[in-house]
Amino acid sequence: MKAHDGMYIDGAWRPAAGRDTITVVNPADEQVIAEVPAGGAEDVDAAVRAARAALPAWAATAPAERAARIAALRDVLVARKDEIAGTVTAELGAPLPFSQAVHAGVPVLVAGSYAELAASYAFEDKVGNSTVYAEPVGVVGAITPWNYPLHQIVAKVAPALAAGCTVVLKPAEDTPLTAQLFAEAVDEAGVPAGVFNLVTGLGPVAGQALAEHDGVDLVSFTGSTAVGRRIGATAGAAVKRVALELGGKSANVILPSADLAKAVGVGVANVMGNSGQTCSAWTRMLVHTSQYDEAVALAAEAAAKYGDRIGPLVNAKQQARVRGYIEKGVAEGARLVAGGPEAPREQGYFVSPTVFADVTPEMTIAQEEIFGPVVSLIRYEDEDDALRIANGTVYGLAGAVWAGDDAEAVAFARRMDTGQVDINGGRFNPLAPFGGYKQSGVGRELGSHGLAEYLQTKSLQF
C-alpha cells in the first residue's frame, strides 16, 4: 500500500500538526519502504476531541447497527487479506505464508466474533428490583505493539466499537502501514466519522500524550511490562481505567506420560512462530529428568528445520537485544545445542533458531522475556518441582501442559499461575479470554470478557 502522509481523524485524512516523520524499514533487507508522520500532542488532542464529539451518537446506536458496522469491517479485511499480508511482511518481516494465515487470518476471526457478540450481548439485565445496564466506558486510547500489528488493533478496536466506545489508536512506530490500512478498512466499512481515529507517532510522544489526555476514559495497552507500569501509574493518578497486556515467560510443561516427540516438536514450533516475537510463546520447556536428554536431542533437531524458515526480527535494536540474551545464556553456563548469537545472514535483522540445554530456573534466560527464537530446556524432578519452576517468574501470561490424558494435564494446569494454558496442543480460540496473572497484565482480551473491559455498569432501582 502507499503510505498516507497524514492522520485519520474525524473520518478524513488530514495533515499532521508537525513535520517530524517515522521511517519504516523492511527488516529482511534493511531498505526504507515508507515514511509516515510522527504525530504529537496536538494531533492526539484533535483525535480525542473528534472521538468525544462522536461518542454520544455512537453510544446511542443500537447494538445491531454497531454489529453491522463491525461485520462490514470484517468483510473489508477479508477482501483485502492479500494486501494486509503483504504489508505485514514488508514492515514486520514475517514470511508471507505466516502473514497470510496468522497476521491476516486471525483478525478476521476476531472481528467476526465481535460482530456476533455486539448483536447478542446482554447490555441490560434484571437483578431483583434493579435493572442493570452495561454502558460504554467512553473514549478509548488504544496503544498497540508491532509483533501482531493487525491482530492487536482488532482485539482492541472491535470490542470497543461493539461496546459503543469511540477510539483513538496509536500503533507501534515499526508497523504503522498496517494501521493505516486498517483505517482505510474502517472508512470503507462505513463506521461514522470520529468513532475511530488514528495517530501515528512515537511512544514517548504520541503514546504518552494519549495516555495522559483528560478526554480519554480508558487506556488499552499491549507491550512491555516496564511501559505498562508507567501507563498504569499515569492512569492511576487520574483514576482512569486501564487494560494492560504485558510480558510473558510461559512454561511448556511436559509430564512423563506425554507423547514426548510431539510435545517437544510443537513446543519448538510455538516459539519459532513470528520469529519468537510472541508474548505468549512457551519459551521455557520443562522436562522430567528421566526424559531430559532425549528432549534436548529432539529440540535441537526440530530447531534446525527452522534455519531458513523464520523471518527476521523487527529491527536492529531487537536483533541486538536477542543476541545479547543468547550471549548471556552462554556466559551463565547454559549449553547451546542449536543456533547461537552469530547473525546467520549479512543483511537483515535475523537471529538463528536457538535452543539452550542445562538451563537452571534462576538464569537470566529463564527469567526475562527475550522476544526472539530462543527455547530454554529446564529439567525437573517431580510434579511439585515442575510447578515451582513454572510459577517461578514474575509473569503469568500463558503456558502449555502435555500428559497422557487431558485430565492429568488439567489437574496440573489448574495449579499454574497463568491466564491461559493449552492442554495437549489445544487450538486457538478467539472467544476465550486472553490475559495474564502477576506482571503479565490487568484485564482480558477476546470474547465476552474482552468486551466487558470496555463497559461500565449502571443500576436503576424500582
Side-chain angles (χ1 to χ4, degrees):
M1 66 169 288
K2 185 180 183 298
H4 290 273
D5 59 1
M7 310 296 183
Y8 184 76
I9 297 176
D10 203 18
W13 294 95
R14 60 176 64 181
R19 302 180 66 178
D20 293 338
T21 61
I22 296 170
T23 300
V24 185
V25 175
N26 184 327
D29 60 16
E30 304 179 44
Q31 299 300 303
V32 174
I33 57 175
E35 285 194 352
V36 300
E42 189 173 343
D43 300 295
V44 169
D45 184 64
V48 173
R49 288 179 183 275
R52 290 225 72 87
L55 179 61
W58 183 247
T61 300
E65 174 57 23
R66 298 201 296 260
R69 290 307 97 212
I70 299 170
L73 173 59
R74 174 204 57 205
D75 293 344
V76 175
L77 296 179
V78 170
R80 301 184 69 172
K81 64 181 185 303
D82 291 339
E83 185 181 5
I84 292 168
T87 300
V88 174
T89 290
E91 62 182 353
L92 179 63
L96 187 59
F98 190 86
S99 290
Q100 291 169 330
V102 177
H103 289 293
V106 172
V108 169
L109 297 176
V110 175
S113 74
Y114 280 114
E116 295 178 4
L117 273 169
S120 62
Y121 193 83
F123 290 95
E124 179 180 333
D125 189 24
K126 293 286 188 180
V127 181
N129 66 310
S130 302
T131 302
V132 180
Y133 297 91
E135 300 183 342
V137 71
V139 173
V140 173
I143 304 174
T144 56
W146 46 260
N147 60 326
Y148 289 91
L150 185 59
H151 168 65
Q152 295 291 352
I153 290 171
V154 171
K156 297 181 188 304
V157 175
L161 299 188
C165 297
T166 55
V167 181
V168 177
L169 169 67
K170 204 299 286 184
E173 48 263 38
D174 289 292
T175 54
L177 302 181
T178 301
Q180 289 189 344
L181 198 157
F182 178 79
E184 292 179 0
V186 167
D187 194 79
E188 189 176 339
V191 175
V195 171
F196 170 83
N197 307 272
L198 169 67
V199 175
T200 54
L202 302 177
V205 181
Q208 183 171 337
L210 184 59
E212 294 178 345
H213 201 290
D214 290 342
V216 172
D217 300 294
L218 180 149
V219 180
S220 180
F221 169 79
T222 297
S224 72
T225 297
V227 175
R229 289 193 194 101
R230 293 199 293 271
I231 289 175
T234 297
V239 196
K240 183 183 302 185
R241 282 176 57 178
V242 295
L244 304 173
E245 198 268 280
L246 308 175
K249 194 66 183 176
S250 301
N252 179 20
V253 182
I254 304 174
L255 298 178
S257 62
D259 181 334
L260 184 65
K262 181 179 180 180
V264 171
V266 174
V268 170
N270 173 274
V271 178
M272 298 306 155
N274 214 40
S275 302
Q277 299 169 131
T278 303
C279 55
S280 58
W282 311 331
T283 53
R284 295 181 298 147
M285 184 179 294
L286 278 56
V287 184
H288 189 267
T289 186
S290 65
Q291 299 172 315
Y292 187 79
D293 291 341
E294 183 182 358
V296 169
L298 288 168
E301 181 182 356
K305 298 176 182 177
Y306 289 89
D308 57 358
R309 289 168 54 188
I310 65 172
L313 301 184
V314 69
N315 54 38
K317 180 180 178 181
Q318 184 66 13
Q319 181 194 41
R321 180 177 184 272
V322 173
R323 291 173 67 183
Y325 271 113
I326 296 172
E327 291 169 350
K328 184 76 169 177
V330 173
E332 291 185 357
R335 175 167 55 97
L336 273 173
V337 296
E342 297 79 13
R345 306 187 192 183
E346 292 184 3
Q347 189 177 45
Y349 308 127
F350 291 87
V351 170
S352 296
T354 298
V355 176
F356 277 107
D358 301 338
V359 178
T360 57
E362 70 277 1
M363 287 183 180
T364 302
I365 59 172
Q367 288 292 320
E368 298 184 11
E369 186 174 41
I370 298 173
F371 227 59
V374 182
V375 181
S376 295
L377 274 78
I378 305 171
R379 69 174 75 233
Y380 67 85
E381 298 296 330
D382 53 33
E383 284 198 15
D384 287 341
D385 189 36
L387 185 69
R388 176 187 63 81
I389 296 169
N391 290 340
T393 75
V394 298
Y395 299 110
L397 184 56
V401 181
W402 300 80
D405 63 79
D406 289 350
E408 182 185 1
V410 168
F412 188 94
R414 290 296 305 272
R415 301 165 68 195
M416 295 173 71
D417 297 334
T418 191
Q420 190 172 83
V421 184
D422 292 345
I423 302 298
N424 287 328
R427 294 179 293 110
F428 171 74
N429 180 1
L431 297 177
F434 179 77
Y437 289 16
K438 300 186 286 188
Q439 293 187 28
S440 284
V442 176
R444 293 294 182 269
E445 292 186 326
L446 304 181
S448 60
H449 293 79
L451 176 58
E453 293 293 332
Y454 299 93
L455 295 169
Q456 56 190 349
T457 53
K458 176 184 293 179
S459 62
L460 304 183
Q461 283 60 251
F462 294 88

